């Protein structure tokens, strides 16, 4: 993973713009199967590398604008990205997992998960708007995910007519959905449409 540090240091457009980003990648050591072997990485390492390589590959393609977009990427970033994507069972493209699910950390490890206690690892523009857009999605899923396990047990409770358990679950759903709604309403606090959708 350390081989990619020069790229990560320059991933955001606010650090380096345009085709110069490609020059950094093109200066990396040529692809070597042993040097860039990803098979021995742990699952968290693979998720992290999938996330950053997804952004790196897309920046490499699009960094000089749509007219000058290219249709090939160097093996040094493309092959590891493909291998990790295959291992994770995720498409080799910029996905929700790449920019959201695998792209965050807690600001304060001693505090609970919340929108105000998470931060993105990397963005492609370096703007607060891009980061905030991802963080909203991460927070919604982090909170909404709490009811998924309960949903799986719901058919059995309905079959057994466990009315109190079902009622408690519906109350929990109501509370969770209200919290998720509050989070999505905060989108415009830090996500400026003219920047993120430009």
């Amino acid at each position: 993973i350390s081989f990619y540090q020069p790229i990560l240091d320059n991933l955001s457009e606010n650090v380096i713009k345009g085709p110069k980003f490609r020059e950094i990648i093109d200066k990396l050591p040529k692809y070597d199967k042993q040097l860039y072997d990803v098979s021995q990485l742990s699952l968290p390492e693979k998720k992290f590398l999938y996330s950053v390589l997804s952004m790196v590959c897309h920046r490499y393609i699009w960094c000089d604008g749509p007219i000058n977009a290219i249709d090939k990427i160097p093996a040094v970033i493309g092959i590891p990205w493909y291998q990790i994507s295959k291992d994770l069972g995720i498409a080799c493209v910029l996905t929700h997992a790449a920019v959201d699910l695998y792209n965050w950390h807690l600001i304060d490890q001693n505090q609970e998960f919340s929108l105000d206690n998470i931060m993105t690892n990397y963005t492609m523009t370096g703007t607060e708007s891009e980061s905030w857009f991802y963080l909203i999605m991460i927070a919604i899923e982090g909170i909404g995910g709490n009811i998924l396990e309960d949903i799986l047990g719901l058919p059995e409770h309905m079959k057994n007519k466990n009315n109190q358990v079902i009622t408690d679950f519906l109350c929990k759903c109501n509370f969770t959905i209200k919290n998720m709604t509050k989070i999505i309403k905060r989108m415009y606090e830090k996500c400026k449409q003219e920047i993120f959708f430009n």
Side-chain angles (χ1 to χ4, degrees), residues 19-36:
K20 288 185 178 180
F21 180 74
R22 290 182 189 144
E23 294 175 15
I24 295 171
I25 294 173
D26 292 338
K27 289 177 184 177
L28 288 173
K30 296 298 180 185
Y31 177 76
D32 178 276
K33 188 175 181 180
Q34 291 184 329
L35 188 63
Y36 290 94

Side-chain angles (χ1 to χ4, degrees), residues 43-59:
L43 182 58
E45 288 173 329
K46 286 182 179 180
K47 288 179 176 180
F48 174 80
L49 199 53
Y50 170 80
S51 173
V52 296
L53 284 177
S54 295
M55 288 186 259
V56 165
C57 290
H58 278 75
R59 269 223 65 203

Side-chain angles (χ1 to χ4, degrees), residues 67-96:
I67 295 174
N68 297 312
I70 56 175
D71 59 3
K72 293 181 181 179
I73 55 177
V76 70
I77 57 174
I79 293 176
W81 185 37
Y82 171 76
Q83 290 173 334
I84 291 175
S85 297
K86 191 175 177 182
D87 286 351
L88 294 174
I90 303 177
C92 195
V93 69
L94 192 69
T95 62
H96 173 56

